[in-house]
Amino acid sequence: DKKLYQIFPQCRVLRMDADTTKRKGSHDKIFKQFRSGKADILVGTQMIAKGLHFPSVTLVGILNADLTLSIPDFRASESMFQLITQVSGRSGRGELPGEVVLQTFLPTQDTLKLAAEQNYEKFFAEESQIRQIFQYPPFTHLIKIALHGPVCEEVKQKAEEARKFLIDRLPASFAFLPVVPAGHAKIQDQYRFQFLIKSTKVLAASAILRSLQNEFKHSKIHLLIDVDPSSTFF
């Protein structure tokens, strides 16, 4: 906020992020203020990107537009493409023409260029080809096995044991990725590890997964099974 006031001293600025939207109804209040012209600039996180109609907005800036690509998740390119196209759609929705400025360290990156062009068809074709080659959804299913507990080495060891438990019991058609720390490796004194399984027929694993859950019923280490998870990293 302070930087903006230094550059545009006469502008009125609203901020929308986790800190300013803690209270119930705060989202709507900020949107109404901005829509009614009580502010000239709205600064925020991704929460300002979706489903909003501001006819008077003619300029949108996206900082670190390529940041999502640094996340080791097969949906990273899709998430970045979606964010850029959604945010870009906030500009020029009325009679006035709009402009979008992207800040990036990767101006020649294919997905970024396609998102800037809003070329959905080409992005879909290229992303589908990549996912088919590496066997990611929608060409296969994923099962995420996530464990968390208070002692790092114990959680990691139990994750390795859970992986071996499943390898010994599931058909050879199931592909196993290695055990790795979760994207948020520690939350509230709980260490987190996980591994992924790929298969075109996840129903065949149902009984074995239930037996794995039973193995952890009385353990201080918690096990979670997520079929077709929305995130493979966090």
Side-chain angles (χ1 to χ4, degrees):
D1 294 5
K2 292 180 180 179
K3 291 290 185 182
L4 278 172
Y5 286 125
Q6 289 174 5
I7 301 169
F8 307 108
Q10 305 303 319
C11 283
R12 299 161 298 171
V13 180
L14 279 174
R15 199 177 106 213
M16 189 172 197
D17 52 32
D19 292 330
T20 62
T21 56
K22 291 179 180 178
R23 294 184 179 180
K24 185 178 180 180
S26 55
H27 292 79
D28 290 337
K29 182 180 179 181
I30 293 172
F31 286 142
K32 286 177 181 177
Q33 286 179 319
F34 188 62
R35 188 179 290 111
S36 63
K38 292 181 179 178
D40 306 297
I41 300 174
L42 176 62
V43 180
T45 55
Q46 294 184 22
M47 64 176 66
I48 70 174
K50 300 178 181 179
L52 306 176
H53 179 62
F54 300 127
S56 59
V57 171
T58 57
L59 176 64
V60 169
I62 306 175
L63 303 181
N64 295 323
D66 49 39
L67 188 62
T68 306
L69 291 177
S70 64
I71 299 173
D73 188 307
F74 77 95
R75 288 193 178 92
S77 292
E78 177 187 354
S79 297
M80 185 184 72
F81 185 93
Q82 184 181 44
L83 173 64
I84 291 174
T85 52
Q86 284 179 334
V87 176
S88 300
R90 302 309 110 207
S91 177
R93 293 172 70 91
E95 296 180 0
L96 299 173
E99 184 179 1
V100 180
V101 177
L102 303 179
Q103 181 199 41
T104 176
F105 293 98
L106 305 167
T108 60
Q109 205 276 339
D110 286 346
T111 302
L112 191 68
K113 287 164 65 178
L114 292 174
E117 297 166 3
Q118 304 216 357
N119 191 338
Y120 170 79
E121 290 78 9
K122 189 173 181 181
F123 170 75
F124 179 83
E126 291 184 0
E127 185 68 10
S128 295
Q129 186 178 24
I130 292 170
R131 291 195 189 185
Q132 187 170 25
I133 291 171
F134 291 100
Q135 283 300 288
Y136 278 108
F139 302 98
T140 190
H141 292 283
L142 291 178
I143 304 171
K144 182 168 74 173
I145 310 296
L147 298 90
H148 65 88
V151 181
C152 181
E153 288 304 318
E154 289 182 7
V155 179
K156 184 178 180 181
Q157 181 181 340
K158 283 294 184 182
E160 295 287 1
E161 291 175 3
R163 183 174 180 271
K164 187 176 186 306
F165 179 96
L166 294 174
I167 289 174
D168 291 343
R169 290 163 176 78
L170 290 174
S173 58
F174 284 74
F176 287 79
L177 275 64
V179 172
V180 295
H184 297 304
K186 185 182 180 184
I187 298 178
Q188 296 180 344
D189 296 324
Q190 294 285 302
Y191 292 91
R192 305 167 71 239
F193 285 85
Q194 64 185 43
F195 62 93
L196 296 174
I197 307 169
K198 296 179 183 180
S199 176
T200 56
K201 298 178 180 178
V202 292
L203 287 177
S206 296
I208 305 299
L209 291 172
R210 280 196 294 271
S211 64
L212 177 64
Q213 282 183 315
N214 291 333
E215 293 286 319
F216 283 81
K217 265 189 175 179
H218 304 291
S219 173
K220 62 182 178 181
I221 295 174
H222 300 275
L223 177 138
L224 298 171
I225 298 172
D226 192 353
V227 178
D228 290 327
S230 58
S231 170
T232 58
F233 182 56
F234 296 109

